[in-house]
Amino acid sequence: KLHSRNYLFDYLRKIVKKSIRHSFPVSLAVIDIDFFKKINDTHGHLVGDCVLKELAKLLKKSFRASDCVARYGGEEFLVVLFRGSEKVVTKVAEKIRKTVENIKFKDKPEVKVTVSIGATLCNSRTKFEDCVELADKALKEAKESGKNKVVYSPPL
């Protein structure tokens, strides 16, 4: 019950233009489930689906109505924070990371889930495509440096 990737990019394109016109910050966070393939391989795809649904519910209730939460890819989600500064996006991302780390699944208590998060801020010099690329770059850094962490990439 999250927004689609197409809706996300339409929303992001519009909100970045609006943020430039009215001088307010917009930030992005790309959230990826760590070791998702291992969860599917070890516990089965039904458990993997349960993990995706639980994370989607958590993300949906963790953000404001003015923010946009969408499924970005397989086990990735992207959040656009309306009027979200560097401080806000890193604080919120860290809170999400910690909350996910502590999720207890009723039917599968042995399943442990963590996420890596890449975040950035869109500014007036940055096209929305570049913002997504910067957040992806920060996510890759989080994954390569040990997973289960938040990495912020400053805007261009």
Side-chain angles (χ1 to χ4, degrees):
K1 297 183 181 179
L2 296 180
H3 293 295
S4 70
R5 185 182 176 108
N6 288 337
Y7 176 89
L8 169 75
F9 285 129
D10 286 342
Y11 176 84
L12 186 55
R13 189 177 292 112
K14 290 174 189 171
I15 202 70
V16 168
K17 284 180 184 176
K18 191 175 181 180
S19 75
I20 291 167
R21 191 170 48 248
H22 298 289
S23 298
F24 63 80
V26 172
S27 53
L28 300 179
V30 179
I31 303 163
D32 186 76
I33 300 172
D34 297 326
F35 305 110
F36 188 69
K37 182 179 179 342
K38 185 175 178 182
I39 291 169
N40 277 334
D41 291 348
T42 304
H43 303 285
H45 290 276
L46 291 177
V47 173
D49 288 348
C50 177
V51 168
L52 287 171
K53 288 175 186 174
E54 286 300 313
L55 183 55
K57 280 188 223 173
L58 170 70
L59 293 175
K60 195 167 183 170
K61 73 177 186 181
S62 297
F63 292 94
R64 304 166 294 191
S66 59
D67 299 329
C68 181
V69 181
R71 179 100 177 262
Y72 183 52
E75 68 272 8
E76 290 184 335
F77 300 86
L78 197 146
V79 180
V80 180
L81 283 86
F82 182 74
R83 297 187 184 270
S85 65
E86 174 184 350
K87 184 177 178 181
V88 168
V89 72
T90 53
K91 182 179 177 181
V92 169
E94 186 58 30
K95 181 179 177 185
I96 293 294
R97 188 200 63 75
K98 286 179 182 175
T99 302
V100 170
E101 187 177 47
N102 292 310
I103 289 176
K104 304 283 188 247
F105 294 93
K106 289 183 283 186
D107 298 336
K108 289 281 187 179
E110 71 276 11
V111 174
K112 302 294 181 212
V113 178
T114 61
V115 293
S116 297
I117 303 174
T120 194
L121 184 68
C122 297
N123 65 25
S124 60
R125 298 177 307 279
T126 310
K127 293 185 286 189
F128 87 91
E129 296 94 342
D130 295 333
C131 292
V132 174
E133 191 175 318
L134 283 170
D136 272 335
K137 179 182 155 201
L139 173 63
K140 184 178 180 186
E141 187 179 327
K143 291 282 199 184
E144 290 175 350
S145 63
K147 299 181 175 50
N148 192 25
K149 59 176 61 175
V150 174
V151 172
Y152 176 82
S153 180
L156 300 173

